[in-house]
Amino acid sequence: MNLLIVLGAYQGDAIDAFFDAKKIDSSWEIWCYEPNKTAISILQKKYPQAHTHNLAVLDYTGPVVFKLSEYEQYSGITENIENVVDSHSVDSIHFDNILDKLDDFDHVILRMDVEGSEYRLIPILLKHKNIVKIKEFYMEWHTKNNEHIDIDVYNKELIKKIPLTLIAVNDRNSQFKMLTTHKYRDWE
């Protein structure tokens, strides 16, 4: 069985891209996690076959404050959300709870765009036994207010453990920097 997991699903843009690139089709199971209550309702209408969850994915289970930015696609739960126009409480699920459910899947694609929460999730992913189920990993690092963290240490481990990895680094002050499995094979 094949599975696409989208953390920070927003309105389904990433799902659109996977269908368009023919990486997935209607035979795939899709799990979406999105804390934005407006975006999740759009996502549910757009992809009724997907298992959508109005939850933040974190390193704990419990309530968290979701901040809606005037630039909605940059909304989130971290301190680096700018131009906040509204907020609401949303429940979170521990990332381990998602990873624990991967035993029955042969091919998992994980897409993570969680506006700064990746700093809490990547250490969990790297230690989890089911990382071997993830065959493709696409993520975006958001570096604002996290410049002190050396993300290359994480990138090296991700690229060693996951066959296909595509990482974008977004510091919101310059262009995206793309890192791929192929470019950094010399890290092994």
Side-chain angles (χ1 to χ4, degrees):
M1 289 190 349
N2 298 319
L3 171 66
L4 170 65
I5 303 172
V6 184
L7 308 183
Y10 189 51
Q11 297 177 358
D13 304 359
I15 301 169
D16 295 342
F18 285 111
F19 272 108
D20 290 347
K22 298 191 180 0
K23 287 207 166 274
I24 66 167
D25 58 31
S26 60
S27 69
W28 282 62
E29 192 161 323
I30 303 171
W31 299 351
C32 301
Y33 296 84
E34 174 56 53
N36 181 331
K37 61 185 175 186
T38 305
I40 199 77
S41 64
I42 293 167
L43 181 64
Q44 288 168 334
K45 289 176 187 160
K46 191 172 178 182
Y47 288 102
Q49 76 275 26
H51 301 275
T52 54
H53 307 276
N54 187 204
L55 296 167
V57 179
L58 291 171
D59 52 357
Y60 70 92
T61 298
V64 65
V65 175
F66 177 82
K67 299 171 202 146
L68 185 64
S69 171
E70 69 177 306
Y71 310 106
E72 192 174 349
Q73 69 273 24
Y74 297 121
S75 300
I77 62 160
T78 58
E79 66 282 345
N80 64 333
I81 304 303
E82 299 173 346
N83 305 314
V84 175
V85 295
D86 195 11
S87 65
H88 65 271
S89 180
V90 65
D91 287 330
S92 67
I93 184 173
H94 196 293
F95 193 27
D96 273 339
N97 293 347
I98 297 168
L99 296 172
D100 287 344
K101 296 177 184 176
L102 301 184
D103 290 333
D104 294 334
F105 293 94
D106 302 313
H107 189 101
V108 177
I109 297 176
L110 175 60
R111 164 66 159 67
M112 183 187 299
D113 186 359
V114 289
E115 303 303 320
S117 294
E118 62 273 12
Y119 293 90
R120 300 164 93 169
L121 301 181
I122 294 301
I124 296 167
L125 175 63
L126 288 171
K127 292 177 187 170
H128 201 282
K129 68 177 176 67
N130 277 340
I131 192 170
V132 299
K133 296 286 187 170
I134 300 170
K135 305 302 181 200
E136 298 180 44
F137 180 56
Y138 303 86
M139 74 161 293
E140 182 176 333
W141 286 108
H142 300 82
T143 61
K144 188 172 175 90
N145 296 333
N146 294 302
E147 290 85 4
H148 62 283
I149 297 173
D150 183 6
I151 61 175
D152 279 345
V153 172
Y154 289 129
N155 292 342
K156 289 176 186 178
E157 288 303 307
L158 289 166
I159 287 170
K160 283 180 187 176
K161 294 183 177 189
I162 301 173
L164 175 61
T165 303
L166 178 62
I167 300 168
V169 180
N170 178 4
D171 66 8
R172 294 198 187 150
N173 296 319
S174 65
Q175 298 179 13
F176 283 106
K177 180 170 74 172
M178 301 301 288
L179 309 171
T180 65
T181 304
H182 305 292
K183 184 173 181 182
Y184 290 97
R185 277 295 175 203
D186 60 328
W187 282 353
E188 294 183 322

